Amino acid sequence: MRCTRSFRELDTPAYWGLTLEAGLVEVDEIVADGLAFVVEEDGEIVGFVLARRREGTRGLLSDIYVRPKARQNRHATRLTRATAAEAADRHRLR
């Protein structure tokens, strides 16, 4: 039996409520705030995390991604810990 897949790009669903442009603005805001980290392997970015301050909390981790080929290297754990440590430090400094 042979399986084939075809992929095509779809329009953003209306219920999602976020355009690419708005999403990129949000990423820029998060990066400007400093709660953004990347992880590299051999000079290549293989993962990232984005988080932001959230009133009444230490922060909100909004996005995390690690490329499939790098997922067995505990990068998501490292990214999460780095983000949590930075958020805790910022909370202490307020």
Side-chain angles (χ1 to χ4, degrees):
M1 176 195 285
R2 181 176 173 188
C3 295
T4 60
R5 287 184 169 178
S6 63
F7 297 93
R8 65 185 177 91
E9 193 168 324
L10 301 175
D11 292 333
T12 302
Y15 65 84
W16 197 11
L18 186 67
T19 64
L20 174 60
E21 293 76 17
L24 292 174
V25 167
E26 184 178 8
V27 169
D28 286 342
E29 291 170 357
I30 292 171
V31 170
D33 191 37
L35 285 171
F37 296 95
V38 298
V39 64
E40 295 178 316
E41 283 185 357
D42 301 321
E44 177 186 4
I45 294 174
V46 295
F48 72 91
V49 65
L50 301 173
R52 60 177 42 210
R53 289 185 218 169
R54 184 62 53 111
E55 191 65 36
T57 71
R58 291 186 180 174
L60 170 71
L61 192 153
S62 60
D63 299 273
I64 187 167
Y65 178 78
V66 176
R67 289 186 177 179
K69 68 179 185 172
R71 290 186 181 161
Q72 295 181 1
N73 298 328
R74 301 187 52 85
H75 293 313
T77 299
R78 289 186 193 97
L79 289 166
T80 302
R81 287 182 177 161
T83 303
E86 179 67 17
D89 285 347
R90 289 180 181 207
H91 184 73
R92 280 193 289 275
L93 295 174
R94 287 199 282 162

